[in-house]
Amino acid sequence: RIMRLISIFNTRASRLVEKGLPVKKIMDRLGDIIPEIIRSKATIKNNELQKYDELERKLNSAFDSLEKEVSSQ
């Protein structure tokens, strides 16, 4: 599940960079999510896998917001 989150981050961040959004802006907006993903291996227990779903929703929501900003410019 962690690899899925990393893959989502990588794919969506790459698309935004291709559209001209600076990496700094992506990191400013999503920088707090990266440590959560890294810590998730240690903090999410086997019986709490729904927390990965919550983390994925949070990640996608942040990217959706950034994509709307880029589209409106």
Side-chain angles (χ1 to χ4, degrees), residues 2-71:
I2 295 169
M3 291 304 293
R4 176 174 166 73
L5 293 171
I6 293 168
S7 177
I8 291 168
F9 183 93
N10 184 55
T11 301
R12 294 193 72 179
S14 294
R15 269 192 245 140
L16 287 172
V17 169
E18 288 172 6
K19 291 180 180 181
L21 190 69
V23 172
K24 180 169 178 14
K25 187 156 188 164
I26 296 169
M27 295 307 294
D28 287 348
R29 185 68 68 87
L30 296 161
D32 62 323
I33 296 174
I34 296 169
E36 281 186 67
I37 293 170
I38 294 168
R39 282 192 310 264
S40 68
K41 181 170 176 31
T43 60
I44 297 177
K45 297 177 174 84
N46 288 337
N47 62 345
E48 299 176 325
L49 296 180
Q50 75 280 0
K51 290 185 179 182
Y52 282 113
D53 296 331
E54 294 168 19
L55 193 51
E56 185 175 335
R57 277 192 293 278
K58 182 177 179 180
L59 181 63
N60 281 319
S61 176
F63 272 114
D64 290 345
S65 175
L66 273 173
E67 286 174 355
K68 283 179 188 173
E69 280 183 35
V70 171
S71 296

